[in-house]
Amino acid sequence: FFFFLVCNSFFVHLGEMMGFVGSVGWTESGVLGQKSSFVCCNKPILGGRVGRRTLGRWEMMALRVAVVGGGPAGACAAETLAAAGIETYLIERKMDNAKPCGGAIPLCMVDEFDLPISLIDRKVRKMKMISPSNREVDVGKTLRDDEYIGMLRREVLDSFLRERAIEKGAKPINGLVTKINMAKGDSDPYSIEYSDYEDREKDAGKSKTLEVDMVIGADGANSRVARDMDAGDYNYAIAFQERIKLPEDKMEYYKELAEMYVGDDVSPDFYAWVFPKYDHVGVGTGTVINRPAIKTYQKGIRDRAAEKLAGGKIIKVEAHPIPEHPRPRRVNGRVALVGDAAGYVTKCSGEGIYFAAKSGRMSAEAI
């Protein structure tokens, strides 16, 4: 919930983290540099076409880009690429995926990414910080009447962004990437091996290969792309969340309210939350330093908020890693990481939706 306070300062540094300086392009050395159009295979790319050496000469062919991962980072990258006329493949293993997530977005994201208001489940205008002794402090009093924190369900947002990318021309592939074979030379393609889930009954998990000129890794904290491009590791938190459907009177209490709890009983180094959604609340916590005890901390937040959650029914249990900092290497040759795969998350809050969408779009715009 601190993310709306740090959005502006974060993006002062995001360009540096991704390697952006001034007018940018990916150089043949595998980093983003200044005074360069996009360079691939030792030739500049103009109009979405790439020079590929064939029979000792350069032959202009359509640029092919694979975006691995269909969350906000991947979908926004694919949309931008496809809208520019670039041959774009969007690979997602689970098209109806509901990533465990608090689901909070800053108001600026609604306009910047042209999101319909119908995606927002709740407009949070009131926030409470609750101490270990259960003393409550109201925060967010500086919000104007037209300002709010948007609360949404990731399955709804991600589906909308993916469908929009597909409408712009991105080619969806329902599959699990199992290996990225890095290009051996400047003029060689990248070979992506994946299990095709398009027709599970007929060819469940059939192995296929796709050759492309560039790869954007938007496949989350456990990124296969990051592993195969030797991006290095990062520390991570485990976030655990239960979706709890409440009686109407209890849900009314959370109509415009979100709560954050602190204390060793709910997390030794993070915070616990109760975030309102369409017809339920997300109740969760996270930790870096004691991940094996995450279920103990989850019980702690349920106990702390027990009175407000009385009569509720757990409808979904979910957990997911959250990066603590950017990976050591985020660009290698013609492969780049964005979103959680790169580690673009606000450490103090775990917020990453806006930064994922932003970095995905920025990477595609650089291409």
Side-chain angles (χ1 to χ4, degrees):
F1 258 73
F2 295 106
F3 69 86
F4 68 96
L5 300 176
V6 298
C7 278
N8 290 336
S9 62
F10 179 88
F11 276 104
V12 171
H13 304 291
L14 180 58
E16 297 177 2
M17 290 194 296
M18 294 184 70
F20 286 128
V21 182
S23 177
V24 303
W26 286 358
T27 67
E28 57 190 280
S29 63
V31 297
L32 290 161
Q34 195 172 14
K35 298 178 182 178
S36 172
S37 59
F38 183 86
V39 177
C40 175
C41 310
N42 294 326
K43 292 289 182 179
I45 293 172
L46 299 174
R49 299 175 71 81
V50 59
R52 187 178 296 114
R53 189 177 296 279
T54 304
L55 301 177
R57 63 186 178 85
W58 287 97
E59 182 180 289
M60 296 306 293
M61 301 181 69
L63 175 65
R64 304 161 301 176
V65 180
V67 180
V68 182
C76 289
E79 178 191 0
T80 302
L81 292 167
I86 294 173
E87 186 176 340
T88 305
Y89 298 90
L90 179 58
I91 307 173
E92 168 60 46
R93 67 178 179 85
K94 194 174 181 182
M95 292 297 185
D96 60 349
N97 188 39
K99 179 188 172 183
C101 181
I105 62 170
L107 181 58
C108 62
M109 185 175 179
V110 176
D111 289 335
E112 185 175 341
F113 289 87
D114 196 22
L115 301 180
I117 296 299
S118 60
L119 295 182
I120 307 297
D121 288 335
R122 302 279 176 172
K123 297 179 179 180
V124 169
R125 296 183 171 90
K126 303 173 185 177
M127 292 164 280
K128 289 184 181 291
M129 288 283 292
I130 303 174
S131 74
S133 61
N134 285 328
R135 182 175 180 179
E136 298 182 356
V137 177
D138 293 327
V139 295
K141 290 183 177 181
T142 58
L143 291 176
R144 297 193 300 264
D145 291 341
D146 60 343
E147 293 180 327
Y148 61 87
I149 304 295
M151 291 291 176
L152 45 70
R153 290 161 288 168
R154 281 293 302 275
E155 60 268 30
V156 176
L157 173 67
D158 294 12
S159 177
F160 170 81
L161 294 175
R162 278 195 299 269
E163 288 301 318
R164 190 164 67 179
I166 293 169
E167 289 174 3
K168 293 290 178 64
K171 301 175 182 179
I173 295 178
N174 184 194
L176 173 66
V177 171
T178 55
K179 188 174 183 180
I180 306 290
N181 295 299
M182 301 294 285
K184 296 180 180 179
D186 289 340
S187 60
D188 296 323
Y190 291 84
S191 175
I192 300 176
E193 300 177 20
Y194 67 96
S195 297
D196 190 357
Y197 294 158
E198 194 64 40
D199 190 345
R200 289 178 179 270
E201 294 183 1
K202 184 178 179 181
D203 295 311
K206 183 178 180 181
S207 297
K208 292 187 177 182
T209 302
L210 175 69
E211 288 192 346
V212 295
D213 303 297
M214 297 189 59
V215 180
I216 293 179
D219 48 340
N222 295 320
S223 173
R224 162 57 69 175
V225 178
R227 193 180 316 169
D228 288 343
M229 68 174 272
D230 192 24
D233 293 326
Y234 50 26
N235 203 10
Y236 63 92
I238 285 291
F240 191 98
Q241 178 174 263
E242 294 169 327
R243 300 193 190 193
I244 301 178
K245 191 164 186 175
L246 299 179
E248 288 187 16
D249 61 322
K250 300 289 186 181
M251 199 67 215
E252 182 65 22
Y253 172 77
Y254 287 108
K255 182 178 180 180
E256 294 185 338
L257 172 68
E259 295 178 327
M260 297 172 61
Y261 292 77
V262 293
D264 288 343
D265 58 331
V266 298
S267 176
D269 57 334
F270 207 59
Y271 67 91
W273 63 87
V274 180
F275 289 172
K277 302 300 176 67
Y278 174 66
D279 60 353
H280 63 275
V281 290
V283 181
T285 185
T287 180
V288 176
I289 65 175
N290 195 7
R291 294 189 290 262
I294 188 66
K295 290 187 177 181
T296 300
Y297 300 132
Q298 181 66 16
K299 182 179 181 303
I301 177 58
R302 281 203 313 268
D303 291 345
R304 289 272 295 276
E307 185 176 341
K308 300 169 186 176
L309 302 178
K313 179 182 179 182
I314 297 175
I315 57 176
K316 190 176 181 64
V317 178
E318 46 201 7
H320 200 271
I322 300 177
E324 278 288 284
H325 54 79
R327 289 186 188 273
R329 190 181 197 184
R330 299 175 295 284
V331 178
N332 183 1
R334 289 168 274 137
V335 181
L337 301 176
V338 294
D340 280 12
Y344 298 145
V345 174
T346 302
K347 185 172 182 178
C348 65
S349 67
E351 154 59 16
I353 299 176
Y354 177 61
F355 306 139
K358 187 80 169 181
S359 62
R361 177 181 283 181
M362 290 171 71
S363 180
E365 287 173 345
I367 295 174

